[in-house]
Amino acid sequence: MAEKKAYPTATEMDYPAHRRNYAGFLTLLKWGTILAAIVTAVVVYAISN
């Protein structure tokens, strides 16, 4: 019988796909942070005036 594994081993993982996903996450994080900073600046400016 074939043995079922709960988690893949290092040789079974798709590392190029992992790198693509991680790069997309960093891009999303960067643009999300920039957008949050702009929105925060506008809100602080609106509150202070």
Side-chain angles (χ1 to χ4, degrees), residues 34-49:
I34 291 169
L35 182 62
I38 291 170
V39 169
T40 302
V42 169
V43 169
V44 168
Y45 178 75
I47 290 174
S48 67
N49 284 332

Side-chain angles (χ1 to χ4, degrees), residues 10-39:
T11 57
E12 296 170 341
M13 292 181 72
D14 186 5
Y15 285 108
H18 173 73
R19 276 194 286 275
R20 281 194 306 271
N21 292 340
Y22 191 66
F25 168 74
L26 288 179
T27 302
L28 182 65
L29 182 66
K30 177 180 74 171
W31 288 109
T33 302
I34 291 169
L35 182 62
I38 291 170
V39 169

